[in-house]
Amino acid sequence: MIYHCIRFTLKPGVSAEDEAAGLAQMREHINAIPAITSRVVGPDIGGEFDYGAVSVLENLQAYEEYMNHPAHLEMDRVGLPLVDKFVSFDITDDPDPAVGDKIAEIHRRRFDGIPDIAELVSDLAEYTGSAAPGKHGNQPAPGSVGGKSTSMHNPRIARGEQGSG
């Protein structure tokens, strides 16, 4: 399973109507994108962000289907212009030590193949995530997730151990 997580703050001055419409569209992904097995969208409690979302995806194939689904791309095109600060990260129980590289490659292909999405992400005031484009370019090194080495930050992965963390 892959838990794709995002956290974001809206730009100052975003209207309540645009905010509500964007959140409603995000909540509809569970119905629009078959690759999602479960999803939650709501306020980010106890953090520095306004909202967050978690999408549960069965495997890398489902992850890639989700990232490139027309409903997700439309959400990015409508929603990213409203966002000031954005963080994207993934949590997985996949024992493959290369899973972080594979997720980053999905993002790289997406940004390379859909330049308007890459530009929207690049235009954010702050962005942290896998294979960040443009000025946020924290292209992760091999063996990393979102610019952080999986082996350096999680010694169990480096040793090939599994288990809950």
Side-chain angles (χ1 to χ4, degrees):
M1 294 296 238
I2 301 169
Y3 289 74
H4 177 65
C5 311
I6 64 168
R7 303 172 82 192
F8 59 94
T9 51
L10 298 173
K11 290 179 179 173
V14 169
S15 73
E17 181 179 286
D18 286 344
E19 181 177 343
L23 292 169
Q25 186 176 3
M26 287 180 72
R27 289 182 181 106
E28 280 303 309
H29 278 178
I30 188 70
N31 299 318
I33 304 175
I36 299 174
T37 60
S38 182
R39 183 165 172 93
V40 62
V41 176
D44 187 305
I45 307 297
E48 61 186 77
F49 298 90
D50 297 331
Y51 295 101
V54 178
S55 299
V56 181
L57 305 146
E58 185 69 30
N59 53 35
L60 287 167
Q61 179 182 347
Y63 190 96
E64 188 156 22
E65 289 172 18
Y66 165 70
M67 293 307 294
N68 295 296
H69 191 280
H72 187 210
L73 298 175
E74 179 61 21
M75 178 72 250
D76 284 349
R77 290 179 177 118
V78 171
L80 287 173
L82 308 177
V83 171
D84 186 43
K85 184 167 55 170
F86 189 95
V87 173
S88 169
F89 63 96
D90 302 287
I91 301 168
T92 183
D93 59 0
D94 188 325
D96 180 356
V99 70
D101 292 333
K102 292 174 182 178
I103 288 171
E105 182 57 30
I106 289 169
H107 285 275
R108 271 191 287 280
R109 283 194 304 268
R110 180 175 187 253
F111 292 140
D112 289 347
I114 310 169
D116 68 307
I117 299 296
E119 184 176 344
L120 288 168
V121 171
S122 183
D123 287 346
L124 293 170
E126 291 183 38
Y127 174 82
T128 303
S130 291
K135 69 182 180 188
H136 308 294
N138 63 341
Q139 296 291 329
S144 67
V145 177
K148 295 182 180 174
S149 171
T150 54
S151 59
M152 296 288 289
H153 292 278
N154 190 335
R156 290 185 328 179
I157 292 174
R159 293 189 304 265
E161 297 175 14
Q162 298 177 28
S164 60

